[in-house]
Amino acid sequence: MATFISVPLKKSSEVDLVKPLSKFVTATYPAGEEQTEYIRAVEELNKLRKNALGRPLDKHESSLEIVLRYYDQLCAVEPKFPFSENQLCLTFTWKDAFDKGSLFGGSVKLALASLGYEKTCVLFNAAALASQIASEQNLDNDEGLKTAAKYYQLASGAFSHIKDTVLSALNREPTMDISPETVGTLSLIMLAQAQEVFFLKATSDKMKDAVIAKLANQAADFYSDAFKQCQYKDNLPKYFYFQEVLPVLAAKHCIMQANAELHQSVLAKQKKRFGEEIARLQHAAELVKTVASRYDEYVSVKDLTDRINRSLTAAKKDNDFIYHDRVPEVKDLEHIGKAALVKATAITPPLSQKFTDVFEKMVPMAVQQSMGVYGQRKAETVNRLVGTMREATNLCNGVLASLNLPAALEDLSGDSIPQSIAEKARSIVQQGGLQSIEQLIKDLPELLTRNREILDESLKMLDDEETTDNELRSKFNQRWNRTPSGDLYKPLRTEGANFRSVLDKAVQADQVVRDRYNTHCDMIALLCKPESELNAAIPSANPTKTLQGSEVVSVLRAQLAQLDELKKERETLEGEIKGVTFDMSTVFLTALAQDGAINEEQLSMAQLDQLYSAYNQRVQASLRTQEQVLGQVQTSHQEFSSLKQSNTEANQREEVLKKLAAAHDSYVEISSNLREGTKFYNDLTEILLKFQNKCSDIVFARKTERDELLKYLLISVQQKAFNSVFMTVLLFFSPCLCGCRFFQMPMGYNPYASYGQYNMPYMQYQGAPGQGGYPGAPPAGQPQPYPGYPPQPQQPYYPQQ
């Protein structure tokens, strides 16, 4: 009698995980031990997939452990890589587990760039393999019964999980084997079989008849639910698999109901309800008789039938000769209780016993993305503080240059180069003078052009592929059933537009630097000349040696020294600000574990405030000190200027010295800006190359998908043409074949008649309140599925091999 239903495995095409995942790791993580470890983990993941899907699996727990481990690894790796059609695009192809194809076409298959699809199919295989392992168990011992019950419940839970998640995981219509209707039916079948195993265990342990009757009645109820689910779904009976399953479900329902009645009859006898005992045994005999007549090729009930008949014969004999108790109608019998001891196993990874995440050290993408945004916020904070100090320093230098300080204090003789100007001239010469700036300015357009070319080539790849996709969509219409390239490329186009805007702003910044250079290039050139030529170019003036010992000169020098000290403190403070480090990944990981999400802005702002609030206070204090000292310098300079002898030569000399000081400051700033610009363009080149690789990868994946879909569509057209020609030839030659001796079926022959009408017996029986009835005919207006099945479509909806 022990006939149990198992599910066939899905088959997958080979997928190379190493190349795309390693490419992502190389592009995302710097070269070193960490990157090497992640690449080894990628290779391990690829090996794990081959072990789980790339070879035949034995119906053994060790094989199931391999499949479950791969599923657990997929669940663990999913949040750590950006798997999607427009980022890390991996296309997984799976065949329908039940559709075996036809003479002129391969089995139905579906290819999707979705890790959720891969997870769904792997979990389906885990459930299918669990059902096969359970069906192979020896149910004559406790160990086999426990193992079978365990894996039927696991299979039921896995199928139920797929039912709840498949549509959201795929975002499109799945193949029929993993559709919610199909896996929902399979889940019910597995649960019914698990309940039957508990019934067998109770029978083996010789538990009380009341308990066994409830277990059997619950199993009958589960089989009834599975039968109805399978029978009334228009899209299920077309599978030959379900055509084979239906009679087994119907038979199992009758058998479990017969067992319930048999054990309940024992209770009736114990309570001296001999008429009820006979009624229940008669009902049980009728049920097994129906099974023997309709489903004998699927399930044997000989032993059960003999046992029921013996009990019924003895009961009738005793009642006829001794008790003479009235035998009630079946509909008047008290309903049998139910006891459900099974439950679909909840699918909560990890499912394998000894799972170890090979990517354990890699943080999830949510944390990586939060770290990226945090890095930007931190850079903005550092740039704001450093920029504020640099602006203050430039303002200070500008004010001093406008006052010709400190050159005015050093130029009391009026006929020699002030020391500060001489030092500035030597500094410019040491840094390369005009030649270094002009070379940097000359390099900028080349760097800009290179970046623009990379960006243009990247976007052109997207444009060309999108144009081809649109042309094919117009040609094939609804049959071109893949995501439009225009929708898929939106994030990349937005990213490209941002790069374009960045380049436009960089061009504007380049022009500002050139204008500043043109303004000061003459004076910078003068500072680059030999000291004798520089001295000759500076006008002479009447000496003012009388001011050398004055108090105002001493005060000005002390104030200038205070400003110099302030600038040095800022340089030190800038180094400290840039050197601040903090590992935010721990904070983000903790938030993700506790809340399931990361409030990046709140966490980042709180941490940055904690890290930089003290530095911000020091910067503001430095600004206030500078403002105060500059005010004092301006007051002292006014007094100093009033003491100097004012004449045309002195004014001309002071004006030249101011321009020379300003030219030096501009040289320093321009050089810094040009070096930053060069670094910006070089860094942007690397970023744009990554963007180009991203565009190239997705375009390649789309082309591969396009070629497969084109191949499928062309094969479909050829199949239609072949079928048409074949039928034409067959009709043409049919008169010639009349004389041939072929085996002919009788008129009206139904090839499925051997299956019989799989409607349950005693359809008129409604059952007592609380007791489940037998599966009846479909609701009014809904056709019977047997005999005569829903017509097979000429072309399957999904691509064929």
Side-chain angles (χ1 to χ4, degrees):
M1 189 276 289
T3 298
F4 286 90
I5 298 166
S6 61
V7 180
L9 299 176
K10 290 174 69 67
K11 293 183 179 179
S12 174
S13 299
E14 185 176 351
V15 178
D16 180 18
L17 302 178
V18 174
K19 184 177 179 180
L21 295 184
S22 297
K23 191 172 183 179
F24 173 82
V25 168
T26 304
T28 306
Y29 298 93
E33 184 178 346
E34 183 182 37
Q35 185 190 101
T36 303
E37 182 178 350
Y38 292 156
I39 291 177
R40 282 199 300 264
V42 167
E43 294 171 351
E44 180 65 24
L45 177 63
N46 194 62
K47 180 180 177 182
L48 190 57
R49 186 182 197 274
K50 289 183 177 180
N51 290 336
L53 308 177
R55 59 187 180 89
L57 296 175
D58 298 330
K59 298 176 183 179
H60 192 270
E61 294 176 63
S62 59
S63 298
L64 180 60
E65 179 69 16
I66 293 173
V67 177
L68 291 177
R69 187 186 169 202
Y70 178 54
Y71 176 78
D72 289 337
Q73 189 59 70
L74 289 177
C75 294
V77 82
E78 185 175 23
K80 299 181 180 182
F81 287 88
F83 295 104
S84 67
E85 282 187 287
N86 56 7
Q87 293 189 66
L88 187 54
C89 185
L90 286 173
T91 301
F92 300 99
T93 304
W94 288 81
K95 294 181 179 180
D96 190 306
F98 303 121
D99 193 312
K100 301 306 179 185
S102 62
L103 177 63
F104 303 114
S107 59
V108 171
K109 65 180 180 180
L110 176 63
L112 283 181
S114 165
L115 192 72
Y117 176 50
E118 173 84 345
K119 284 172 54 184
T120 297
C121 295
V122 172
L123 186 59
F124 181 96
N125 271 11
L129 187 56
S131 74
Q132 294 177 14
I133 295 172
S135 299
E136 291 290 316
Q137 297 303 308
N138 181 4
L139 302 183
D140 294 332
N141 59 66
D142 285 352
E143 190 63 31
L145 289 168
K146 290 179 181 177
T147 302
K150 171 186 174 182
Y151 286 122
Y152 280 134
Q153 291 177 89
L154 173 61
S156 177
F159 286 131
S160 179
H161 183 79
I162 295 173
K163 174 188 174 184
D164 296 336
T165 60
V166 63
L167 295 181
S168 60
L170 270 61
N171 289 322
R172 63 160 292 170
E173 192 73 17
T175 48
M176 280 305 303
D177 57 344
I178 57 173
S179 68
E181 295 83 2
T182 304
V183 290
T185 302
L186 294 175
S187 178
L188 290 174
I189 294 174
M190 296 300 119
L191 199 63
Q193 295 188 147
Q195 180 73 18
E196 181 181 351
V197 171
F198 272 94
F199 157 76
L200 295 175
K201 178 70 167 64
T203 303
S204 174
D205 293 345
K206 295 181 170 48
M207 298 181 70
K208 294 181 179 180
D209 290 288
V211 173
I212 297 176
K214 290 178 181 179
L215 291 174
N217 197 35
Q218 182 64 71
D221 198 45
F222 282 153
Y223 277 119
S224 174
D225 292 342
F227 178 87
K228 292 174 183 176
Q229 180 81 3
C230 190
Q231 185 185 35
Y232 297 154
K233 292 296 181 183
D234 294 338
N235 47 2
L236 296 185
K238 76 173 185 178
Y239 281 134
F240 182 75
Y241 173 83
F242 287 101
Q243 296 169 13
E244 292 287 306
V245 163
L246 267 171
V248 176
L249 296 177
K252 285 295 189 78
H253 170 81
C254 293
I255 292 170
M256 287 295 102
Q257 190 65 52
N259 274 290
E261 296 288 5
L262 173 62
H263 287 278
Q264 194 69 19
S265 72
V266 176
L267 291 178
K269 182 178 181 180
Q270 292 172 355
K271 296 178 180 179
K272 301 187 182 304
R273 299 174 182 172
F274 303 108
E276 177 186 341
E277 178 192 9
I278 294 172
R280 291 192 182 280
L281 289 171
Q282 286 176 340
H283 188 201
E286 292 169 351
L287 287 167
V288 294
K289 182 180 179 181
T290 300
V291 174
S293 63
R294 295 188 179 185
Y295 314 119
D296 184 57
E297 63 179 299
Y298 300 100
V299 181
S300 173
V301 289
K302 184 179 183 304
D303 293 341
L304 180 60
T305 301
D306 292 344
R307 181 181 175 188
I308 292 172
N309 288 338
R310 286 195 303 268
S311 299
L312 179 59
T313 300
K316 282 184 175 181
K317 181 178 179 181
D318 291 344
N319 193 54
D320 290 343
F321 287 97
I322 303 174
Y323 307 115
H324 304 291
D325 195 11
R326 186 184 69 83
V327 179
E329 296 288 334
V330 173
K331 64 180 180 180
D332 296 329
L333 294 175
E334 182 181 353
H335 73 273
I336 302 173
K338 300 173 186 176
L341 296 186
V342 295
K343 184 179 180 181
T345 303
I347 303 302
T348 306
L351 300 176
S352 56
Q353 296 177 356
K354 297 180 180 180
F355 171 67
T356 302
D357 184 7
V358 296
F359 293 94
E360 184 177 7
K361 294 182 180 180
M362 182 182 287
V363 297
M365 282 302 300
V367 176
Q368 293 183 36
Q369 293 168 355
S370 297
M371 287 293 293
V373 178
Y374 167 75
Q376 294 176 2
R377 294 184 189 278
K378 179 183 176 184
E380 290 172 0
T381 302
V382 171
N383 292 338
R384 176 173 53 81
L385 293 174
V386 171
T388 299
M389 290 191 294
R390 289 182 177 179
E391 288 177 7
T393 300
N394 290 337
L395 174 64
C396 178
N397 292 336
V399 171
L400 294 180
S402 67
L403 300 177
N404 194 26
L405 293 174
L409 299 179
E410 300 163 354
D411 191 37
L412 297 180
S413 64
D415 57 0
S416 62
I417 302 175
Q419 182 180 353
S420 61
I421 297 298
E423 290 176 354
K424 293 179 190 302
R426 287 193 292 270
S427 173
I428 289 178
V429 172
Q430 290 173 358
Q431 294 180 49
L434 279 178
Q435 185 178 359
S436 65
I437 287 185
E438 290 174 349
Q439 184 60 47
L440 289 171
I441 291 177
K442 180 182 178 182
D443 292 340
L444 288 183
E446 297 179 4
L447 296 173
L448 172 65
T449 301
R450 182 186 178 194
N451 285 323
R452 277 184 168 162
E453 288 175 351
I454 296 173
L455 181 58
D456 291 341
E457 289 174 5
S458 303
L459 296 178
K460 186 177 183 300
M461 284 191 290
L462 301 182
D463 293 338
D464 293 344
E465 199 285 324
E466 184 176 345
T467 300
T468 305
D469 182 67
N470 291 335
E471 291 174 353
L472 292 170
R473 191 175 304 280
S474 300
K475 179 178 180 180
F476 291 102
N477 298 321
Q478 295 181 351
R479 288 182 294 169
W480 197 254
N481 55 352
R482 69 170 188 165
T483 305
S485 296
D487 296 340
L488 201 60
Y489 295 159
K490 283 181 180 179
L492 289 173
R493 294 196 181 281
T494 300
E495 194 174 354
N498 291 336
F499 287 134
R500 186 80 68 190
S501 176
V502 167
L503 286 174
D504 292 340
K505 291 179 181 178
V507 171
Q508 297 175 6
D510 293 345
Q511 189 59 46
V512 170
V513 174
R514 288 193 189 92
D515 293 342
R516 188 180 301 164
Y517 169 72
N518 293 333
T519 301
H520 297 281
C521 64
D522 292 339
M523 285 298 169
I524 294 174
L526 185 58
L527 286 171
C528 294
K529 290 183 178 181
E531 186 173 335
S532 58
E533 294 184 27
L534 176 59
N535 189 26
I538 301 174
S540 299
N542 294 328
T544 55
K545 294 183 179 180
T546 55
L547 293 176
Q548 289 184 358
S550 65
E551 181 180 356
V552 67
V553 172
S554 300
V555 170
L556 269 174
R557 284 176 174 164
Q559 291 168 346
L560 293 177
Q562 191 174 356
L563 289 176
D564 288 339
E565 185 64 27
L566 195 62
K567 293 176 186 178
K568 293 179 181 179
E569 289 177 359
R570 284 178 185 162
E571 291 177 0
T572 303
L573 182 56
E574 180 177 331
E576 292 179 12
I577 291 173
K578 290 181 176 180
V580 173
T581 58
F582 182 80
D583 185 9
M584 276 295 289
S585 61
T586 305
V587 177
F588 291 142
L589 284 169
T590 302
L592 186 62
Q594 292 178 350
D595 306 329
I598 300 175
N599 189 337
E600 181 277 326
E601 183 177 4
Q602 179 181 355
L603 295 173
S604 295
M605 295 306 293
Q607 188 61 48
L608 290 173
D609 182 65
Q610 181 180 345
L611 291 173
Y612 291 102
S613 59
Y615 291 109
N616 187 54
Q617 293 174 6
R618 290 171 63 182
V619 169
Q620 295 302 319
S622 176
L623 297 183
R624 290 193 296 269
T625 301
Q626 174 177 298
E627 184 179 3
Q628 180 181 359
V629 175
L630 278 180
Q632 295 171 357
V633 167
Q634 288 173 325
T635 301
S636 300
H637 183 266
Q638 289 178 357
E639 183 179 352
F640 173 77
S641 298
S642 64
L643 295 176
K644 289 177 64 177
Q645 295 180 0
S646 179
N647 54 51
T648 302
E649 292 82 1
N651 291 338
Q652 289 178 350
R653 180 179 177 84
E654 184 170 351
E655 189 65 27
V656 171
L657 292 176
K658 288 180 181 179
K659 290 181 178 180
L660 290 173
H664 169 267
D665 295 338
S666 296
Y667 179 88
V668 173
E669 186 175 357
I670 291 169
S671 297
S672 176
N673 290 339
L674 289 172
R675 284 192 293 270
E676 288 177 1
T678 302
K679 183 178 184 301
F680 163 79
Y681 282 122
N682 288 329
D683 292 344
L684 184 60
T685 299
E686 294 184 9
I687 296 173
L688 287 174
L689 286 173
K690 291 181 180 179
F691 176 72
Q692 187 180 43
N693 287 335
K694 200 188 304 184
C695 294
S696 176
D697 290 345
I698 189 172
V699 166
F700 177 78
R702 294 287 286 177
K703 286 181 177 178
T704 303
E705 183 185 32
R706 179 191 70 198
D707 293 343
E708 288 186 0
L709 186 53
L710 267 175
K711 179 182 177 182
Y712 160 69
L713 292 174
L714 292 174
I715 291 175
S716 299
V717 172
Q718 292 171 0
Q719 285 178 358
K720 286 184 178 180
F722 178 83
N723 291 341
S724 177
V725 172
F726 180 78
M727 292 305 298
T728 301
V729 172
L730 186 64
L731 291 173
F732 178 79
F733 286 104
S734 57
C736 302
L737 299 175
C738 292
C740 298
R741 299 181 61 185
F742 289 106
F743 176 75
Q744 295 184 351
M745 297 297 180
M747 184 174 295
Y749 172 76
N750 181 359
Y752 297 105
S754 60
Y755 293 121
Q757 282 283 358
Y758 299 140
N759 296 320
M760 305 303 297
Y762 303 106
M763 295 307 167
Q764 74 278 8
Y765 173 61
Q766 299 299 319
Q771 182 172 358
Y774 298 100
Q782 188 166 347
Q784 291 278 4
Y786 297 96
Y789 304 101
Q792 295 282 353
Q794 286 188 346
Q795 292 298 325
Y797 179 76
Y798 296 98
Q800 296 184 344
Q801 187 174 17

